[in-house]
Amino acid sequence: MTSHEARLCGLLLREHFGEVVEKVGTHLLRSGAQHLRAIVHESGIPLDLVKKSLCVLVQHGLCSFSSGRKGPGSPMEYQTSPDRILRILRYPRYIYTTKTLYGDTGELIVEELLQRGHMTMSNTVKTVADRLTQNMEENHSMEYSEVSSSFSKLVETHFLQRCPPSALTAKKENPSPADSGAPAAAASIVPLKPESFSDCYTVPRVTLVGRGKRPLPAEDEGEQRSAKRAKLDSEVHGDEGIYWQVNVERFHLYFRDQAIISAVANKLDQTCSEIVRTMLRMSELTTSPSATCTKPLSANEIFRSLPTGYNIGRPILDQYLTLLVDDPMEFVGKAGESGGGMFVVNLHKSLANLARATIESSVQERFGSRSARIFRLLLRKRHLEQKQVEDFAMIPAKEAKDMLYTLLSQNLVQLQEIPKTADYAPSRTFYLYTVNQLPTARMLLQNCYKTVANLIDRRMFETKESKRLLEKSQRIEAILASLQASGAEPEQLTEVEEMITPSEKQQLESLKIHINKLDLAENQVDETIFLLESYISSTAVSS
Amino acid sequence: MMASRGRGRRSFNVDSVGLSRESLPSALLQPSPVFPVMEMKPLPLTGGEEVEYLLALKQDLRGTMRNLPYYIQSAVTHSDVERYSDKYHISETCDLLDWNTDWRRFPRELRRSFRKPVRIGVSDGATLQHKKDRDKEEVLLKLENLEKNEKEQSSEEEEGGGAQEEQEEEPEEELEEETDYIMSYFDNGEDFEGESDDNMDEAVY
């Protein structure tokens, strides 16, 4: 874990859970696995706040606990990892993806689960039905069964998964027979991975009949009735103890597929991208997440599974497939001749190519197209001397030297010395320039983390600067809303609106523009982060 | 070897390498600027409907997570002016009791903190009271010696009353000094904007 990652994790925790959780979280990140007393002692935060923060972190799956290193009797140790915390940046993308795939219902289900960490199915269904009912017209409400069916669909396609049974409850269910007097913590507690649980994706039988409820208009009655309703709602629905969480890995696979498809569409053709989309869809559930390429599919199968809108002839499909295989980006490879040709989608190669394109484009935007030409040259030709760089890139010697040295100082290009003699005399060694894709990708990824952290910092700074103004405008909006609800005359409304002076309005406008820009930039950088992270993790798996 | 002997030395001999003294870059006398001028300006951000929707989702998410019980506020200290109503502020940080999660999934040591929330309020009230009494005593001693005994007597009575309350564990409203006012009297309007959650259309920054 690097300092940039730690800083970004701290900022994300602060924004979403408050400063106390940030302090506890960053302390855990920096110090590894620790037990409760050590955390309290080293971080100086009061015990009850530490406990609350740990509860929040565990609830959201950001922190895991296991029995200590000294054996089963030692206190519980807590640890976090930066990967899961960095996912918080991507939550809007997950929600939007679910919206495109499963509509508003799916969107709200995923949003609720992301906000609350893990929940039971019945709870989720009820909350989502209530929210949907709020936005519908009068006398319409959302059936629980519709929401349940959306939920089941999400589980079938593995976007949601069951939380692994807490090691604590599992231990209680299997008491060791021979310990009546032995201490309770006989077995060590180890966090389970969700996949190791066989019922990971089975939807339980839940008895949920009803419709969403609207919030009641009158406040006093509402409070009394909601107090009563809370008691009624604690009825048992048959799925107690079964908690669901969002399966972020599955979303990542989906994003990766989308990236490959859009790359094919940009490079080749819409029809080619449809073919690749079909191939990926067919192998969705048969490909493991860390596979290098999909299972081989025969051209016949692909032909049968093409979407009905695309009625291209069989020979045309063969031509397209040949085109895809011959493309230097190697999205699709040929794995055999049976069944009219067996084809695979090269997942890892595609990710490597996408990462390479990202790095090349970032060099181009920072240093100019000629430096980018040199960079691409070095990527292709691996090792080149300075003279060769000048010749191949067709750039005058002085400028080429300058650009190479700039790239070298930014660590995008490395120098490899090959001595001709035992003493490294400068006149008698070869100096070769080289680019290594993987370390460069790692470096760029760290830059991205630093960028996002800076963006968040700046946004918080801007908000803090104009805090007074923002509070004033919020108060005025609240007053306006309450006046409108109680039916006031237009003069009163204009009077209240005029409480904000025009210059303040302008300040607010420009503040809003700045904050939107910073937020948009964060989202965009997160896309790059995703590509680079996927590439780096794919190389880690295969090596 | 010769390369790292002390500061200000170069690792090579200028003449033998074949360079002239002027062609070398000048020495740095100060740190490089924090915001250097960029020759290549970055591209503008991508726009479009999808991007705008993602932006709205992000800002909404931030806003709603602020209001969930998982957002833990650190203790707010009013450092500018000590207000009378500070004594009567009910702390809002015990919202975690509203969680209806399965406490069996959490380790036992984390569960214990939510059994007795009133304890915290009790000790705060008692210590505050003692401290205020002591301050009061000092001030009055300095001002008027004649009334010293009277004040001591009254503060003793209050301390006795405070100790009693500590043992009884009454609900918070009557815990910290008996007053004739209900707790909302001491609400100084700072939480007003927290009630304006009706406007969910407005993005929260």
Side-chain angles (χ1 to χ4, degrees), chain A residues 97-111:
Chain A
T97 308
T98 330
K99 185 191 172 80
T100 52
L101 291 175
Y102 295 102
D104 285 339
T105 322
E107 178 192 5
L108 286 182
I109 293 176
V110 168
E111 191 178 332

Side-chain angles (χ1 to χ4, degrees), chain A residues 78 107 243 459 512 522, chain B residues 53 58 62 102 109 205:
Chain A
Y78 302 90
E107 178 192 5
Y243 291 88
R459 181 160 46 81
K512 188 167 171 178
E522 278 173 46
Chain B
Y53 192 79
K58 186 180 168 96
R62 252 206 319 267
D102 193 357
E109 54 189 0
Y205 302 123

Side-chain angles (χ1 to χ4, degrees), chain B residues 62-74:
Chain B
R62 252 206 319 267
T64 34
M65 289 200 81
R66 277 250 152 102
N67 297 328
L68 285 177
Y70 306 117
Y71 193 91
I72 299 181
Q73 322 262 4
S74 51

Side-chain angles (χ1 to χ4, degrees), chain B residues 117-134:
Chain B
V118 195
R119 279 258 157 226
I120 307 174
V122 175
S123 45
D124 275 353
T127 50
L128 264 175
Q129 210 172 34
H130 282 290
K131 195 173 158 210
K132 292 235 159 85
D133 289 338
R134 261 181 255 126

Side-chain angles (χ1 to χ4, degrees), chain B residues 129-130 132-138 140-141 146-163 177-178:
Chain B
Q129 210 172 34
H130 282 290
K132 292 235 159 85
D133 289 338
R134 261 181 255 126
D135 286 345
K136 213 160 65 169
E137 272 192 33
E138 285 172 20
L140 289 167
L141 272 173
L146 286 174
E147 297 186 31
K148 182 174 153 186
N149 291 335
E150 225 180 283
K151 295 303 169 207
E152 267 182 351
Q153 257 186 355
S154 59
S155 61
E156 262 176 74
E157 277 176 25
E158 285 181 37
E159 273 182 54
E177 262 189 50
E178 291 151 1

Side-chain angles (χ1 to χ4, degrees), chain A residues 16-18 52 65 78 96 99 107 115 164 168 243 365-366 459 478 512 516 519-520 522 524, chain B residues 40 45-46 50-51 53-55 58-59 62 64 71-72 93 96 102 105-107 109 113 196 205:
Chain A
H16 291 97
F17 300 111
K52 281 186 199 158
F65 53 88
Y78 302 90
Y96 181 71
K99 185 191 172 80
E107 178 192 5
Q115 280 175 0
L168 302 167
Y243 291 88
E365 293 307 322
R366 274 171 75 186
R459 181 160 46 81
K512 188 167 171 178
N516 283 355
D519 269 328
L520 282 172
E522 278 173 46
Q524 203 166 319
Chain B
M40 318 274 307
L45 296 168
T46 53
E50 180 181 331
V51 169
Y53 192 79
L54 278 170
L55 173 70
K58 186 180 168 96
Q59 292 179 336
R62 252 206 319 267
T64 34
Y71 193 91
I72 299 181
T93 52
L96 286 177
D102 193 357
R105 294 183 61 92
F106 289 81
E109 54 189 0
S113 65
S196 61
Y205 302 123

